[in-house]
């Protein structure tokens, strides 16, 4: 199968200069899942093709061709939640009543609809009832081996009483736990201080997350 990514902003590694460079309005020809040619306005006839099977318009898009990995990308709902956090509005997070498995299927479909590169997912674990923990083998069988655990933010965080059973269940099935270690009460207290001063600009966000909060969380649960 032959595809061409047309007119994107392509990041290429220059061996001559020993660094990555951005090439605007560039094409990427893909044959059998492998990159066979890169360049502006590629002449496909030189590669034995009149037209590719599929032309993907990448105008204004960033294409990374040299093995680059984005380790953390947010789906639209998480992007909205992040904006809420940056604005320090203290809105409660939505607590899903769906099972982990159905949520995974839904999120995977959402990602596939807009993805132009390979991707994988990890599951945010915010429910630890036996019925939820029993889903871990199914989640892993679907290719999601890592679970993210938050120790802060109501609606998505786990308490100390929930943390140990969650870690034990993940380890039992040879999964990987990623822990967002912060002290919830300290964040809430700092956010209230900022709000009381009428400050809501994103630049005040970092001040609500003192480093000591991470240290305390790591020592408490590490």
């Amino acid at each position: 199968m032959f595809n061409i990514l047309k007119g994107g902003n392509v990041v290429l590694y220059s061996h001559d200069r020993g660094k990555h460079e951005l090439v605007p309005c560039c094409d990427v020809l893909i044959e059998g899942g492998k990159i066979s040619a890169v360049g502006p306005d590629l002449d496909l006839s030189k590669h034995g093709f009149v037209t590719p099977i599929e032309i993907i318009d990448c105008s204004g898009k960033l294409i990374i061709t040299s093995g680059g990995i984005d380790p953390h990308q947010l789906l639209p709902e998480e992007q909205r939640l992040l904006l809420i956090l940056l604005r320090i509005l203290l809105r409660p997070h939505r607590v899903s009543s769906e099972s982990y498995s159905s949520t995974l299927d839904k999120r995977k479909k959402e990602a596939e609809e807009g993805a132009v590169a390979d991707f994988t997912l990890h599951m945010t674990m915010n429910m630890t009832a036996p019925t939820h923990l029993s889903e871990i083998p199914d989640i892993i069988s679907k290719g999601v081996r890592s679970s993210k655990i938050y120790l802060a933010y109501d609606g998505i965080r786990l308490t100390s009483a929930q943390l140990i059973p969650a870690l034990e269940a993940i380890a039992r099935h040879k999964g990987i736990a990623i822990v967002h270690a912060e002290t919830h009460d300290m964040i809430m207290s700092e956010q209230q201080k900022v709000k009381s001063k009428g400050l809501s600009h994103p630049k005040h966000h970092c001040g609500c997350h003192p480093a000591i909060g991470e240290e305390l969380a790591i020592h408490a649960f590490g």
Side-chain angles (χ1 to χ4, degrees), residues 94-99 103 127 132:
R94 181 179 63 86
V95 180
S96 175
S97 59
E98 297 176 322
S99 67
T103 299
M127 299 175 288
H132 294 120

Side-chain angles (χ1 to χ4, degrees), residues 67-86:
I69 298 175
D70 181 350
H72 188 76
Q73 185 55 264
L74 304 175
L75 294 178
E77 181 170 335
E78 278 69 28
Q79 290 174 340
R80 290 195 295 271
L81 290 178
L82 179 61
L83 181 59
I84 290 171
L85 292 176
L86 289 177

Side-chain angles (χ1 to χ4, degrees), residues 67-185:
I69 298 175
D70 181 350
H72 188 76
Q73 185 55 264
L74 304 175
L75 294 178
E77 181 170 335
E78 278 69 28
Q79 290 174 340
R80 290 195 295 271
L81 290 178
L82 179 61
L83 181 59
I84 290 171
L85 292 176
L86 289 177
R87 289 286 182 186
I88 319 176
L89 296 180
L90 298 178
R91 294 181 183 173
H93 292 270
R94 181 179 63 86
V95 180
S96 175
S97 59
E98 297 176 322
S99 67
Y100 285 141
S101 295
S102 61
T103 299
L104 172 60
D105 293 340
K106 177 181 176 182
R107 294 296 186 163
K108 186 175 181 181
K109 183 176 183 296
E110 290 175 355
E112 288 174 339
E113 289 174 351
V116 293
D118 294 335
F119 67 89
T120 187
L121 301 170
H122 58 233
M123 180 64 67
T124 297
M125 182 171 288
N126 66 331
M127 299 175 288
T128 58
T131 53
H132 294 120
L133 296 182
S134 66
E135 294 185 75
I136 292 177
D138 181 51
I139 296 299
I140 291 177
S141 72
K142 292 180 178 179
V144 180
R145 186 167 293 278
S146 59
S147 297
K148 187 165 185 178
I149 296 173
Y150 287 85
L151 301 182
Y153 308 123
D154 287 329
I156 60 172
R157 70 185 176 110
L158 294 187
T159 65
S160 56
Q162 294 172 308
L163 179 64
I164 299 304
L167 292 176
E168 290 176 343
I170 293 170
R172 190 159 52 247
H173 299 289
K174 295 181 170 51
I176 300 171
I178 306 168
V179 180
H180 181 108
E182 288 191 276
T183 304
H184 175 76
D185 291 341

